[in-house]
Amino acid sequence: MATSTEIQAAERSFQHHFASMEQQRDTATFGMWMFLLTEIMFFGGLFCSYLVYRHTYYTAFVEGSQKMNIILGAINTAVLICSSLSMAMGVRAAQMGKPKLMVILLLITILFGFGFLGIKAVEYHEHWTNHEFPGPNFHFETGDPAHPPTDPTHTEIYFGLYWAMTGLHALHMVIGIGLVTWLVLAGMRGAYSPIYYSPVENVGLYWHFVDLVWIYLFPLLYLISHKHAG
Amino acid sequence: MATAVQPVVERETYLNSDYGLKSWLLTKDHKRIALLYLMSITAMFWLGGFFAMLIRLELLTPAGDLVSSDTYNKLFTMHGITMVFFFLIPSVPAVIGNFVIPLMIGAKDLAFPRLNLLSWYLYMIGACMALYGFLFGGIDTGWTFYTPFSTSYSNTHVVTVAVGIFVVGFSSIFTGLNFIVTIHRMRAPGLTWSRLPLFCWSNYAASLIMVLGTPVIAITLLLVAFERLFHIGVFNPALGGDPLLFQHLFWFYSHPAVYIMILPGMGVISEVITCYSRKRAFGYEFVALASIAIAVLGFLVWAHHMFVAGISMYSALVFSLLTYFVAIPSAVKVFNWTATMYKGSVRYDTPMLYAWGFIGLFTLGGLTGVFLASIGVDVHVTDTYFVVAHFHYVMVGGMVLAYLAGLHFWWPKITGKMYPEPPAKLSALLVFVGFNLTFFPQFILGYMGMPRRYHAYPPEFQVLNVLSTAGASVLAVGYVLPMIYFLWSLRYGKDAGPNPWHAVGLEWMTPSPPPTHNFDETPVVTWEAYDYEHQPQEEITVGH
């Protein structure tokens, strides 16, 4: 069923320290899962800090998260979920032996990725112009003269975490876009086929992971502290 | 015509298959990458040793006369950072593990050869950043980077060095990831988990810590850098940030990291003891699972570094109890090694001498760890030389001796040459004597109350400090000797042959040095690990 060019392309990508193509594929996927485990621990340090300070400075976190643009955040969440769908369909297309469809779907994924970063940049710009960036120029007002901020320095920690968490997430998005671009270029050369598509599958895993991080970041930073409990 | 002299065709090995700088810098061969690591970490070891020498020279006299207190702060910081992050963590895994693990499991290479090369480059980038920081001003935070000093007050190269450690952390993550995947997926047919050499088990356990722990120190040091660059406030008490949170995150990695630094060494000892006792490892399953138990328990004890830092009494109690538990798998190993030697045909070759040194010193270091786990004693000796001595008994007396044991044991496999036995035995003796002379007085000093990290001390401590400095000089000679005779053996050493120790294990079933693809035919394993009972008891003649 596999065409001779597909077999040739797969043979070029076979590394000789493996006994078989299946072993190579299993190994690569296992490696990717291990890498994602390290990524969970990496973001885990940030989530841990977030939990500690949200517990300690609850009111400051409420005031800080009221400055979040929930509409843009929600749109971005939708954009990322759509990008994961096109990514998953792209992996399926590679598996089914439809390289052209795969390239189109991956290009759509890249487009969604840039869409996310663009919207995020608008949000960042908003915070920047409002001096909601930690450092000497940090300035914070609740916008309600009847309720001045409880302690602006604690809100600064909230924004410090906000920038660190979303910033590192955005960096992962940039890396992800780079990886998908690499897949597109290799896909146009006909590197992937039903016999050999593990790079597509593994970049897909990475993409879904980065998506998943945002699925946690959005409620933690935007939603759950938005209104005072009670 | 049949008696015509055969032209000598040199057998192709991983060393002569290709020549030139490019063939080394772009190699994907795990054996060549191991040698790249060997050269880099040896350089870092001497750098760290140089800092240690200056520290010991300063402490020769009670007055702070050789260096200023600021310089002294930088010296112990740079000594710690160099030795911990750039020597001990990569030592056995990245050099010996890299070389030996694929051979031991009958694989042609690690699962991800390119990732392996990348991890060496990351190591070099991290090392260069740290060296830049050291050379152009140094760093004075201690290797622990405690906040808020490191984030708000220190005027040294904290960001450069922290980012260097961040980068080298990824080198360690990728090595660990590579080992785990390799041991899972690349074992030769018949090599089941219960037949796996104990060296692979202990490196597997250490790799689990590298993969799960290192990302946490990475994000922690990144937050320290963000704090200095952007003032995000997370660890800054002036903004309400909590320095204790830093300590929790730091030790969440850095306590398990001491098991990264000891577990692979324990694996070396298991190989050496079985080979020179010519017996199956006593309690193989227990030794193997003790490695995993140490890795798991190691993640649950971090706050014993913070007993005096102001954590709650109840959490201190729990962490103290959990710390005692670590002693159990460690003791399982020590008892099983000694039981392996019981009624074995014990030989006194250099690796075995180092292994005995390891068992003695690790036991002493481990038991003083139990002292420190009990809160009452810990409060008394916190931040004294008792802690310094304990740590060095485990790290130098343990890991460095195990590393030297491993280097001697596998040197014939790595180079195809025998090292000369008499100077090697002398160096093993010098290291053991020098080490004890250096660090045993520090237990007493710490018990008497001499605090660490000061460049001056009351005159009544001088005798013990002079002993310690004298011991350090002996230790230095013990370290220089192997450098000389290892290099000498490259040219003048006897040919080792495939298996000079008559050891079992797949790595000894291929020629020394091995060919690039390790095995001409993938081996099929039908025997247990350390099957010395069924090995012919041949007299070992090489190396005497």
XYZ file of all heavy atoms in Angstrom, chain A residues 44-77:
269
model
N 4.934 23.622 37.233
C 4.490 23.320 38.589
C 5.051 24.298 39.612
O 4.334 24.712 40.525
N 6.326 24.683 39.431
C 6.918 25.652 40.347
C 6.139 26.953 40.351
O 5.892 27.560 41.399
N 5.705 27.399 39.161
C 4.941 28.640 39.057
C 3.550 28.485 39.666
O 3.078 29.353 40.397
C 4.799 29.036 37.584
C 6.055 29.573 36.922
C 5.855 29.646 35.429
C 6.389 30.939 37.465
N 2.885 27.361 39.355
C 1.545 27.148 39.896
C 1.592 27.086 41.421
O 0.701 27.583 42.106
C 0.927 25.873 39.324
C 0.406 26.043 37.922
C 0.989 25.401 36.851
C -0.684 26.872 37.681
C 0.517 25.575 35.559
C -1.178 27.050 36.397
C -0.567 26.398 35.327
N 2.671 26.482 41.933
C 2.843 26.384 43.380
C 2.953 27.781 43.991
O 2.271 28.105 44.965
C 4.081 25.545 43.666
S 4.498 25.440 45.373
N 3.805 28.635 43.377
C 3.939 29.999 43.887
C 2.591 30.716 43.824
O 2.198 31.428 44.752
C 4.957 30.791 43.072
O 6.119 30.048 42.910
N 1.875 30.533 42.721
C 0.570 31.170 42.558
C -0.356 30.782 43.711
O -0.982 31.647 44.334
C -0.053 30.774 41.212
C -1.490 31.218 41.063
C -1.795 32.485 40.556
C -2.530 30.397 41.464
C -3.107 32.905 40.452
C -3.844 30.807 41.370
C -4.134 32.062 40.860
O -5.429 32.474 40.772
N -0.413 29.473 43.994
C -1.317 28.995 45.044
C -0.968 29.622 46.391
O -1.852 30.070 47.121
C -1.236 27.470 45.157
C -1.988 26.698 44.087
C -1.767 25.210 44.266
C -3.473 27.029 44.172
N 0.346 29.647 46.697
C 0.772 30.190 47.986
C 0.317 31.640 48.115
O -0.289 32.034 49.117
C 2.311 30.090 48.127
C 2.794 30.908 49.309
C 2.727 28.639 48.261
N 0.587 32.445 47.082
C 0.293 33.877 47.216
C -1.193 34.172 47.079
O -1.695 35.135 47.659
C 1.115 34.692 46.220
C 2.566 34.701 46.604
C 3.542 34.194 45.764
C 2.946 35.177 47.847
C 4.865 34.167 46.141
C 4.265 35.148 48.239
C 5.221 34.651 47.382
O 6.522 34.617 47.779
N -1.914 33.377 46.317
C -3.352 33.606 46.235
C -3.964 33.359 47.613
O -4.879 34.065 48.044
C -4.000 32.689 45.204
C -5.488 32.939 45.105
C -6.159 32.178 43.994
N -7.536 32.606 43.860
C -8.541 32.064 44.562
N -8.304 31.084 45.402
N -9.765 32.517 44.397
N -3.425 32.356 48.313
C -3.916 32.065 49.644
C -3.553 33.200 50.605
O -4.379 33.663 51.391
C -3.317 30.744 50.118
C -3.709 30.383 51.511
N -4.951 29.916 51.824
C -3.019 30.454 52.675
C -5.015 29.699 53.126
N -3.862 30.013 53.663
N -2.302 33.679 50.521
C -1.840 34.690 51.474
C -2.452 36.063 51.191
O -2.814 36.773 52.119
C -0.299 34.802 51.417
O 0.233 33.506 51.184
C 0.257 35.352 52.699
N -2.504 36.442 49.924
C -2.955 37.798 49.567
C -4.197 37.735 48.706
O -4.213 38.208 47.571
C -1.834 38.544 48.836
C -0.540 38.592 49.618
C 0.653 38.189 49.057
C -0.531 39.055 50.937
C 1.836 38.226 49.788
C 0.634 39.089 51.669
C 1.814 38.677 51.096
O 2.976 38.712 51.815
N -5.247 37.147 49.257
C -6.433 36.895 48.457
C -7.033 38.190 47.903
O -7.308 38.297 46.708
C -7.459 36.135 49.303
C -8.756 35.916 48.593
C -8.814 35.063 47.497
C -9.914 36.581 49.006
C -9.996 34.866 46.838
C -11.098 36.390 48.330
C -11.146 35.534 47.249
O -12.309 35.351 46.575
N -7.211 39.221 48.746
C -7.868 40.443 48.261
C -7.053 41.111 47.162
O -7.613 41.614 46.185
C -8.090 41.442 49.412
O -6.903 41.489 50.191
C -9.262 41.034 50.275
N -5.717 41.097 47.322
C -4.886 41.703 46.282
C -5.047 40.945 44.964
O -5.062 41.548 43.877
C -3.421 41.695 46.717
N -5.190 39.624 45.042
C -5.367 38.846 43.814
C -6.720 39.145 43.184
O -6.853 39.169 41.964
C -5.215 37.340 44.107
C -3.798 36.861 43.986
C -2.770 37.522 44.627
C -3.491 35.761 43.201
C -1.456 37.107 44.507
C -2.176 35.334 43.065
C -1.164 36.014 43.724
N -7.736 39.396 44.024
C -9.048 39.760 43.482
C -8.934 41.087 42.730
O -9.369 41.216 41.582
C -10.089 39.861 44.616
C -11.390 40.453 44.084
C -10.330 38.501 45.228
N -8.275 42.069 43.378
C -8.140 43.374 42.725
C -7.336 43.260 41.436
O -7.666 43.891 40.425
C -7.465 44.367 43.688
C -8.390 44.839 44.790
C -7.639 45.392 45.992
O -6.396 45.445 45.937
O -8.302 45.750 46.981
N -6.274 42.466 41.480
C -5.459 42.312 40.277
C -6.227 41.664 39.145
O -6.173 42.121 37.995
N -6.975 40.607 39.465
C -7.607 39.882 38.358
C -8.778 40.658 37.788
O -9.252 40.349 36.687
C -8.029 38.492 38.814
O -9.224 38.548 39.516
N -9.244 41.695 38.508
C -10.293 42.536 37.905
C -9.759 43.363 36.741
O -10.521 43.906 35.955
C -10.914 43.438 38.975
C -12.009 42.699 39.734
C -12.369 43.349 41.034
O -11.779 44.356 41.420
N -13.334 42.768 41.720
N -8.434 43.476 36.649
C -7.846 44.218 35.533
C -7.680 43.338 34.294
O -7.200 43.809 33.266
C -6.467 44.757 35.942
C -6.519 45.739 37.060
C -7.073 47.070 36.591
C -7.225 48.016 37.762
N -7.690 49.331 37.353
N -8.037 42.076 34.400
C -7.878 41.187 33.240
C -9.030 41.388 32.273
O -10.176 41.583 32.691
C -7.849 39.719 33.700
C -6.668 39.361 34.546
S -5.129 39.501 33.644
C -4.182 40.495 34.776
N -8.706 41.305 30.989
C -9.727 41.439 29.955
C -10.310 40.049 29.672
O -9.749 39.273 28.910
C -9.096 42.037 28.698
C -10.145 42.437 27.703
O -11.209 41.832 27.635
N -9.848 43.472 26.930
N -11.455 39.780 30.319
C -12.007 38.419 30.232
C -12.429 38.088 28.805
O -12.284 36.958 28.344
C -13.176 38.257 31.209
C -12.631 38.291 32.637
C -13.904 36.934 30.974
C -13.618 37.909 33.685
N -12.950 39.103 28.075
C -13.414 38.839 26.708
C -12.245 38.350 25.853
O -12.323 37.302 25.203
C -13.993 40.125 26.071
C -14.996 40.784 26.999
C -14.549 39.821 24.690
C -16.406 40.345 26.872
N -11.139 39.121 25.880
C -9.984 38.720 25.066
C -9.446 37.372 25.530
O -9.075 36.523 24.716
C -8.886 39.788 25.139
C -9.165 41.086 24.380
C -7.965 42.006 24.456
C -9.540 40.805 22.937
N -9.403 37.153 26.849
C -8.917 35.881 27.365
C -9.778 34.726 26.890
O -9.267 33.667 26.493
N -11.101 34.927 26.886
C -12.005 33.859 26.445
C -11.822 33.589 24.960
O -11.787 32.432 24.521
C -13.451 34.243 26.745
N -11.703 34.673 24.171
C -11.480 34.475 22.728
C -10.197 33.683 22.517
O -10.144 32.745 21.723
C -11.409 35.842 22.008
C -12.762 36.532 22.065
C -10.990 35.656 20.546
C -12.746 37.946 21.534
N -9.169 34.042 23.266
C -7.886 33.354 23.112
C -8.000 31.872 23.482
O -7.373 31.023 22.847
C -6.828 34.025 23.992
C -5.749 34.659 23.144
O -5.718 34.446 21.933
N -4.875 35.426 23.758
N -8.783 31.594 24.511
C -8.991 30.192 24.880
C -9.625 29.443 23.711
O -9.193 28.332 23.354
C -9.887 30.103 26.129
O -9.359 30.976 27.122
C -9.934 28.692 26.671
